Amino acid sequence: MAAAPGSLQEEALKRKERLKALRERTGAAAARQNKDDGAPEVKQFRSDSEGEEKGKHQEIRLRNYAPEDEELKGRVVPPAQPASVEDKVKDQLEAAKPEPIIEEVDLANLAPRKPDWDLKRDVAKKLEKLEKRTQRAIAELIRERLRGQEENLAAAVDSAKQDGSDSD
């Protein structure tokens, strides 16, 4: 990449010349001079040769005009045919059909919820565990009482036998 200093300067001069030529072609140099002089810009009209060049590249298409000239009749664009939208409309109508309405109305879903419903929901699992433990404890207490009553009943029967044997 190490180029001689002279060649870089030559390339820079060539670039400046190309830019100057480009400005002259586009008319930017004239506009810049007018701005420096304080004079307003002068609009430049296109010459006929420039208009013809662009006209050659653009083809005239007639959409809404029915020409009488035979040459222009070949450039008429045929009228557009509307696309069939029946299938699209049918699909949209099928998609828009309402779902069947529920015949039974659940009043619990319609009634507003109490402010603490979420707390009750969160505590419900813990309450189920406690309920099971409570039922076990109650069953154990009932069993103990029944054992105690059996002992008391056996003691009462024994005492009745003893009382009955003394009288004989």
Side-chain angles (χ1 to χ4, degrees):
M1 296 285 318
S7 66
L8 291 176
Q9 289 176 352
E10 290 173 6
E11 289 178 24
L13 288 173
K14 288 179 183 177
R15 191 178 321 116
K16 284 182 183 179
E17 289 175 3
R18 285 190 308 243
L19 289 172
K20 186 176 182 182
L22 180 65
R23 283 188 201 116
E24 288 176 2
R25 271 189 269 146
T26 59
R32 195 172 345 120
Q33 287 175 357
N34 287 341
K35 288 182 183 177
D36 293 342
D37 296 340
E41 282 189 38
V42 178
K43 294 185 179 180
Q44 296 178 355
F45 293 104
R46 277 194 236 156
S47 65
D48 291 338
S49 62
E50 290 177 7
E52 289 176 8
E53 288 176 9
K54 288 192 175 185
K56 289 179 183 176
H57 297 293
Q58 291 180 340
E59 184 177 323
I60 297 175
R61 287 184 240 137
L62 303 171
R63 295 179 195 275
N64 298 325
Y65 176 69
E68 294 179 9
D69 188 15
E70 293 297 326
E71 291 178 22
L72 295 178
K73 284 185 180 180
R75 296 185 180 187
V76 174
V77 176
Q81 298 296 325
S84 176
V85 294
E86 293 176 358
D87 296 332
K88 290 181 182 179
V89 170
K90 286 179 183 178
D91 292 340
Q92 289 178 354
L93 287 175
E94 288 176 8
K97 285 184 181 176
E99 295 180 12
I101 299 172
I102 301 171
E103 294 179 11
E104 296 181 20
V105 177
D106 188 13
L107 295 178
N109 290 336
L110 293 177
R113 294 182 176 174
K114 293 182 181 178
D116 60 347
W117 70 270
D118 57 338
L119 297 174
K120 290 181 180 178
R121 179 196 63 205
D122 294 340
V123 174
K125 292 180 183 177
K126 295 176 183 176
L127 285 176
E128 287 177 12
K129 291 179 184 177
L130 290 175
E131 186 67 28
K132 289 178 183 177
R133 289 182 184 175
T134 305
Q135 293 297 330
R136 287 184 194 144
I138 292 172
E140 187 65 32
L141 288 173
I142 292 173
R143 286 186 198 115
E144 287 178 8
R145 283 191 184 171
L146 289 176
R147 286 185 201 136
Q149 286 179 358
E150 287 176 3
E151 292 173 4
N152 290 340
L153 184 60
V157 169
D158 287 340
S159 64
K161 284 185 183 178
Q162 288 176 0
D163 292 335
S165 63
D166 288 342
S167 61
D168 284 335

